[in-house]
Amino acid sequence: MQKIRKAVIPAAGLGTRVLPATKSMPKEMLPIVDKPAIQYIVEEAVAAGIEDILIITNRGKGIIEDHFDHSVELEYRLRDSGKTNMLEQVEALSRLANIQYVRQKETKGLGHAVSCAKAFVGNEPFAVLYGDDVIIGNDPACGQLCRAYEEFGKSVVGIKEVTAEQITRYCSLAVSPAHDNIYHVSDMIEKPSPDKIMSLFSILGRCVLTPDIFDILDETKPGAGGEIQLTDAMRVQAIGGNMMGVDFTGTRYDMGNKLGILQANCEVALSRPDLRDDFAAYLKELVKTL
Ligand code: UTP
């Protein structure tokens, strides 16, 4: 089976749930401790063996491009002041992967954003990593999906069980077990009303898609919220028997909402050797006041 070499990161959304921070700052650049969300995502793709990455941007997202580019002045200053460790980190960023950019001229939904990647992807399977979903774990979530693609040769979605309250805001999947943490996905629905819920399994932030998705997206009409929904296109593959799901390992942080951002910052800070002790001591004092 063909190896997944390309990844698409849609990062052109308006981020209205995180306003006013996102008025001029893409939510994908919001930091978790000292690293923007999108850097964690690019690093995950690279760790999964992906060589070429396309980031879908829009107006005002130039700072994403700057982040992964050389910063000659900064590098000169760091070298000059002997901050070699920081210099290495900054230089490594511009060598992380072969990153290209394309603009989604109108924010018409995630499905429309993915369709902007057609020329970059060509006729091969590719990974999609949602730009506001950071997943941290020892085994990159994207790599887990790529392995399932190599086993089954079908599109694969990253899935997790969510609460009954959350499922009405996400999408709900019809699944049956294949083996271990891998499932057959036979149907899905975006933002289901309570009577339409198929299971509490939802798609969270990652998928590997076969390239026929582009023809399906061309035919996909606006769905929930008036947007061209990727779920509606993936549903065509699912009901055709061409979709698997991986209940991936790793912790997922939703950087598209305020609580998710706070959780990510707390948990990542507590996992960092350089911050853990001081931050934990601070938190212990803080909780006494709650
Ligand atoms: P979301 O639906 O969570 O992003 O899309 P949003 O539209 O920015 O959210 P709110 O509701 O306004 O807060 C998931 C991912 O898809 C990208 C987003 O940038 C995010 O990373 N996206 C979404 C696009 O690239 N284009 C779109 O038209 C919509």
Side-chain angles (χ1 to χ4, degrees):
M1 201 62 63
Q2 202 169 356
K3 197 178 157 339
I4 309 293
R5 300 183 306 124
K6 294 181 180 177
V8 174
I9 304 179
L14 296 176
T16 54
R17 285 165 296 152
V18 203
L19 280 168
T22 45
K23 187 172 175 223
S24 59
M25 157 87 105
K27 62 180 164 180
E28 294 79 9
M29 284 299 289
L30 292 170
I32 302 179
V33 183
D34 53 6
K35 216 162 48 165
I38 197 161
Q39 186 180 334
Y40 289 88
I41 295 169
V42 168
E43 287 173 348
E44 179 194 324
V46 170
I50 285 170
E51 296 151 14
D52 294 312
I53 295 174
L54 180 76
I55 301 180
I56 315 282
T57 64
N58 65 8
R59 235 166 342 107
K61 302 243 179 179
I63 64 167
I64 298 180
E65 297 184 32
D66 291 344
H67 184 72
F68 293 105
D69 197 1
H70 274 293
S71 171
V72 178
E73 194 188 339
L74 176 65
E75 288 168 25
Y76 177 80
R77 188 66 65 85
L78 292 171
R79 189 173 297 113
D80 213 34
S81 54
K83 294 185 173 153
T84 12
N85 186 22
M86 193 50 70
L87 175 66
E88 277 164 19
Q89 283 189 43
V90 168
E91 284 181 333
L93 247 177
S94 51
R95 292 193 301 264
L96 208 49
N98 172 24
I99 305 180
Q100 300 176 40
Y101 302 86
V102 70
R103 283 188 179 209
Q104 183 189 16
K105 296 201 176 69
E106 279 178 86
T107 36
K108 291 203 253 176
L110 182 56
H112 180 258
V114 169
S115 68
C116 297
K118 188 173 180 174
F120 164 82
V121 167
N123 193 28
E124 58 181 291
F126 63 104
V128 181
L129 297 90
Y130 301 8
D132 57 354
D133 270 319
V134 172
I135 301 173
I136 295 180
N138 294 330
D139 186 9
C142 175
Q144 298 175 47
L145 270 60
C146 291
R147 292 199 296 272
Y149 169 78
E150 282 164 25
E151 182 180 346
F152 292 92
K154 299 178 179 182
S155 285
V156 184
V157 284
I159 64 173
K160 285 249 173 241
E161 281 189 291
V162 301
T163 64
E165 186 270 323
Q166 286 171 322
I167 199 82
T168 55
R169 289 181 281 117
Y170 294 17
C171 77
S172 170
L173 306 179
V175 297
S176 59
H179 67 81
D180 302 298
N181 59 342
I182 304 184
Y183 294 79
H184 299 278
V185 179
S186 54
D187 203 354
M188 60 180 75
I189 178 169
E190 183 69 27
K191 298 188 177 53
S193 53
D195 58 314
K196 300 261 169 57
I197 294 170
M198 301 172 184
S199 79
L200 293 182
F201 273 111
S202 190
I203 301 173
L204 293 185
R206 301 289 179 269
C207 46
V208 166
L209 297 170
T210 50
D212 55 306
I213 198 75
F214 293 113
D215 288 340
I216 304 172
L217 278 168
D218 284 346
E219 301 294 316
T220 304
K221 302 273 175 299
E227 296 191 332
I228 297 177
Q229 297 286 351
L230 183 59
T231 314
D232 292 341
M234 292 194 294
R235 178 170 187 264
V236 176
Q237 295 186 327
I239 57 180
N242 293 313
M243 170 97 29
M244 307 301 295
V246 175
D247 186 358
F248 58 83
T249 59
T251 308
R252 175 237 181 199
Y253 299 106
D254 181 1
M255 295 297 285
N257 82 68
K258 292 168 199 181
L259 189 60
I261 296 167
L262 294 170
Q263 286 166 337
N265 275 282
C266 267
E267 292 183 24
V268 172
L270 287 171
S271 74
R272 287 262 303 250
D274 58 331
L275 293 168
R276 186 179 48 223
D277 293 348
D278 288 347
F279 189 55
Y282 161 73
L283 283 181
K284 282 178 192 158
E285 285 306 311
L286 184 68
V287 291
K288 288 184 197 159
T289 69
L290 299 179

